Amino acid sequence: MKHILFASCAVLALATTSYAAEKEFPAKLVSHAILPANTIIPAPSDAPEHLKTSAKFTTADRKRAEGLGTVPGKDGVRLTGLSMPFNGQPMQGFSGIKAMADGSFWSLSDNGFGSKLNSSDAMLMLHHLKFDWDAGKVNALETVFLSDPDMKAPFPIVLEGSSKRYLTGADFDVESIQPVADGFWVGEEFGPYILKFTRDGKLTDVIATKAGDIDVKSPDHPTLALPGNPTQKMPAFNLKRSGGYEGMALSKDGSKLYGLLEGPLYTADGQVEKTEDGSTGLRIIELDTAKKEWTGRTWLYPLAEGGEAIGDFNMLDDSTALVIERDNGAGTADKACADPKKPEANCFAVPSKVKRIYKIEFNDANVGKAARKIGYIDLLKISDPDNKKRQGGGNGYYDMPFVTIENVDRVDATHIIVGNDNNLPFSAGRALDKADDNEFVLLEVKDLLDAK
């Protein structure tokens, strides 16, 4: 493993790509739709009693919370105004979106409440959405609950002995989606794995990740376990927790999937992969969809200064794509805490600084090298001359100061859709004391989409 990782980094370091100054393009708010944070839906009628309520195990000691609404949601030290457990399943955490030809969209809810340990009662689901932009509403046409009736998961799931075998946020952390004719491709973070589901949500394939010759594993990989005693060596993994497939794009002909890791791979000596110019690089890994095998081809997505992760990824054509890049800040600088190491309830500890959507290019010519960043829009200063915003922003502008913005796709030749993951009930970036809603916006970004 050590030699493979070093060799991989050496190849990437030899890349001859040169990086021009990143160009910023304008963005204009066209429409704004909101799904309220506290949108709770019932579990399916055939789901076990365990899933009829959710967020029962979210306290630090993981003890079961017996009473509904007895555990307050917090963003650090700030209360968010919502409490757990919930009577039903939250329709929250939208993490990945795909525009369909009929004007609808597919999205998905991620693992549940932030970790494998606290999400065993969070159901995994996909959502077919339609936006009423005039009314500012998000309508769910259909919700598909994911399950594993044919025992395709290569490990015991939470509901192993049940008849329907619904999947939960302790089984997989689903973060990206690509609808296809026979179902859905889904990228997840615990393995990380690429998953395939039928149109009605049944798991058919679980594909472990291989980046070239590297077997990619996060600390939540099901084959890893703590050693039997403290003197033994810890198991090896090369990807940080929550560093898996936050983005996953599909080639225009459907023959290839491109999984984009949220975090960088680590070498055996604890160093992260870098591009030629010294930027932290995130792997883009190519999968042959017909063979359901990795092709061995990879690229690096170079993070900008201040960028810490990606949020979503969709192709524009055969070689260009949109990527959300972000830091881990939330809230606005005008309400920043005086000392981020001493956060208080009336301020944002670490305000948002980098929330962008990049257009990138990767192709045969730069395999094994860094993708080319063509330019970006800044989601913290979106022009709003017609006052289309329904909340947030200020005079003449709209902003998205959320810790996680995880939905982007092109809608037509001049517009894109963008949405946040509200991490219910833990994220409060729009206001100091209120859980973030799920906000979706239609943006006019012709210059970015036309940029070469």
Side-chain angles (χ1 to χ4, degrees), residues 333-349:
D334 62 316
K335 297 177 182 177
C337 295
D339 185 349
K341 295 181 180 179
K342 296 179 181 179
E344 300 178 28
N346 63 348
C347 56
F348 295 112

Side-chain angles (χ1 to χ4, degrees), residues 34 64 96 146 148 191 198 230-231 282 310 332 373 407:
I34 297 171
R64 183 192 311 271
L146 303 180
D148 183 24
T198 61
T231 66
L282 312 182
I310 64 95
T332 53
K373 281 184 160 178
N407 305 271

Side-chain angles (χ1 to χ4, degrees), residues 264 272-275 277-282 301-304:
V272 299
E273 288 192 328
K274 300 281 188 177
T275 62
D277 73 341
S279 302
T280 297
L282 312 182
Y301 175 86
L303 288 175

Side-chain angles (χ1 to χ4, degrees), residues 187-206:
E188 81 89 45
E189 291 200 313
F190 287 160
Y193 296 110
I194 297 292
L195 310 176
K196 182 74 181 294
F197 292 93
T198 61
R199 177 60 180 75
D200 58 354
K202 295 177 182 177
L203 183 65
T204 61
D205 295 275
V206 180

Side-chain angles (χ1 to χ4, degrees), residues 36-38 72-82 84 86 92-94 110 112-114 326-331 348 350 352 355 391 401-406 420-439:
N38 194 23
K74 290 184 177 182
D75 189 337
V77 300
R78 294 180 289 118
L79 293 173
T80 65
L82 292 179
M84 305 161 285
F86 300 115
Q92 59 84 33
F94 290 104
D110 59 17
F113 306 108
R326 61 173 180 83
D327 58 16
N328 291 324
F348 295 112
V350 182
S352 301
K355 309 292 181 184
Q391 57 188 39
F402 308 113
V403 62
T404 45
I405 306 168
E406 299 186 351
N420 68 311
D421 170 1
N422 70 337
N423 300 306
L424 191 80
F426 304 115
S427 285
R430 176 64 75 201
L432 287 165
D433 58 355
K434 180 181 181 296
D436 289 329
D437 294 322
N438 298 282
E439 296 188 34

Side-chain angles (χ1 to χ4, degrees), residues 304-316:
E305 183 178 355
E308 298 180 82
I310 64 95
D312 199 13
F313 177 37
N314 264 309
M315 299 303 295
L316 294 171

Side-chain angles (χ1 to χ4, degrees), residues 370-386:
R372 181 173 72 94
K373 281 184 160 178
I374 298 170
Y376 69 92
I377 61 168
D378 187 344
L379 297 175
L380 297 177
K381 51 177 183 180
I382 298 164
S383 173
D384 183 22
D386 303 319

Side-chain angles (χ1 to χ4, degrees), residues 8 160 210 214 286 289 301 326:
S8 171
E160 184 68 24
K210 204 172 183 69
I214 304 169
E286 184 180 67
T289 57
Y301 175 86
R326 61 173 180 83

